[in-house]
Amino acid sequence: MAVEIGTVRGREVALPVHFHGEDQVTLVHAGTRRFVIGGVLVAVGAGQALRIPAGMPHRSLSSPLDVACTNLYLPPGTDGDPGPILDWDTVSQAARRAGLSREGYSRRFKRLHGLAPQEFRLLDRLNAARCLLRSGESIAAVAADTGFADQSHLGRCFRRAFGVTPGRYRAGLPHVGLVVTSVL
């Protein structure tokens, strides 16, 4: 069963590098949706679908022509790699555990996962915020529960990562680019 269903329409559909706690299945209805996954450009045309496993860093690119697609966010598959598990409080702790310098650990992490450890940790917190918003938590409570300084801080980071404010995401209201049409 889908955790979330959203639609993407238009040309300005680019999002920076991010990942989801769920598997993302993108079904393209018109145009071509383009992603960069693991440094590889992936183009998905009308009538095609793409599965991006949970925890897989990726970014989407704007489209020269209008695109229309549906994104399904499904519980993570049992056969997919959920991505790195961050069981540390700081990059320095993780580096010590790996026997590397902080800088060496950060370079290795980015090479392996496409994101710096701090970026990955921020996106992990933002994905936790998405789950709490879907469950009906207030935005202020979600900000506090996921370690953001305040509601505004969460809002800025959330919009930068997902292209929508937490309030619009929670309410399922349409906006330019990504449109969340249903939150299950």
Side-chain angles (χ1 to χ4, degrees):
M1 172 178 233
V3 173
E4 180 182 325
I5 301 171
T7 60
V8 176
R9 292 195 177 120
R11 294 180 185 176
E12 296 304 316
V13 295
L15 289 174
V17 176
H18 65 284
F19 65 90
H20 306 277
E22 307 83 20
D23 287 352
Q24 175 182 331
V25 177
T26 297
L27 309 165
V28 179
H29 309 293
T32 301
R33 189 76 203 264
R34 300 177 313 145
F35 298 92
V36 177
I37 304 170
V40 176
L41 176 64
V42 178
V44 186
Q48 296 180 320
L50 171 70
R51 177 184 168 268
I52 302 172
M56 173 68 68
H58 62 281
R59 69 183 172 111
S60 57
L61 304 174
S62 59
S63 177
L65 302 173
D66 282 341
V67 65
C69 67
T70 302
N71 289 338
L72 304 173
Y73 299 92
L74 308 171
T78 55
D79 62 343
D81 177 5
I85 297 172
L86 303 179
D87 60 351
W88 39 265
D89 292 327
T90 68
V91 176
S92 295
Q93 286 178 335
R96 274 193 301 276
R97 287 184 190 163
L100 298 168
S101 69
R102 185 180 191 285
E103 295 77 17
Y105 179 83
S106 292
R107 282 191 302 272
R108 183 176 182 198
F109 191 99
K110 186 165 186 169
R111 187 175 62 250
L112 290 172
H113 303 294
L115 294 166
Q118 300 88 338
E119 294 172 293
F120 194 96
R121 167 98 53 210
L122 174 63
L123 287 169
D124 195 42
R125 290 171 42 217
L126 289 168
N127 280 317
R130 284 177 54 229
C131 290
L132 293 171
L133 289 167
R134 279 197 303 264
S135 72
E137 291 277 337
S138 74
I139 298 168
V142 169
D145 291 347
T146 54
F148 289 90
D150 55 31
Q151 188 172 331
S152 295
H153 183 213
L154 170 63
R156 285 189 307 275
C157 294
F158 198 93
R159 182 170 175 84
R160 194 176 315 124
F162 301 122
V164 62
T165 65
R168 288 232 172 141
Y169 176 85
R170 187 168 172 243
L173 297 174
H175 63 92
V176 177
L178 174 70
V179 180
V180 178
T181 55
S182 174
V183 177
L184 304 177

